[in-house]
Amino acid sequence: MADGYCMTFNNAAQKVFGSTVRPIVETWKTNNRAEPWSAEARLVGQDGISVVKIGPSSAPKKQRAKDLAARSGFEWLCSQYPEIDFSDL
């Protein structure tokens, strides 16, 4: 998976919700020297209010934290919607 899980999380959310919910992965820097980056996957409604927050994940590198959060978001979608086939993502 060249782009990690970010694209997979995005595609899975679109498969479940269409354009009614927007998947995002938010990252921020922390004061933790070992894992200075945190990230959280979110599903945001059209009104801009977060529907679901998944995470957070932490890692030494920003992209790794983002990938971990996106993976958590994808796995959450898989667990909540087992009737949907995500194998083509």
Side-chain angles (χ1 to χ4, degrees):
M1 208 173 277
D3 293 324
Y5 275 89
C6 292
M7 187 177 291
T8 303
F9 173 54
N10 184 51
N11 292 341
Q14 286 180 355
K15 194 169 194 174
V16 173
F17 302 111
S19 62
T20 62
V21 172
R22 183 172 43 104
I24 63 169
V25 177
E26 185 174 300
T27 58
W28 62 93
K29 192 131 168 113
T30 69
N31 290 328
N32 181 341
R33 289 181 179 241
E35 295 185 330
W37 288 99
S38 285
E40 181 176 76
R42 295 181 182 182
L43 298 171
V44 181
Q46 290 179 335
D47 57 4
I49 298 173
S50 290
V51 177
V52 176
K53 293 181 181 182
I54 306 154
S57 300
S58 297
K61 303 275 185 185
K62 183 178 182 179
Q63 189 60 50
R64 178 69 177 145
K66 193 172 182 177
D67 286 341
L68 289 170
R71 180 179 180 170
S72 293
F74 173 69
E75 290 173 352
W76 183 87
L77 287 169
C78 290
S79 71
Q80 296 299 303
Y81 300 93
E83 70 279 5
I84 297 177
D85 180 13
F86 294 109
S87 65
D88 59 338
L89 302 180

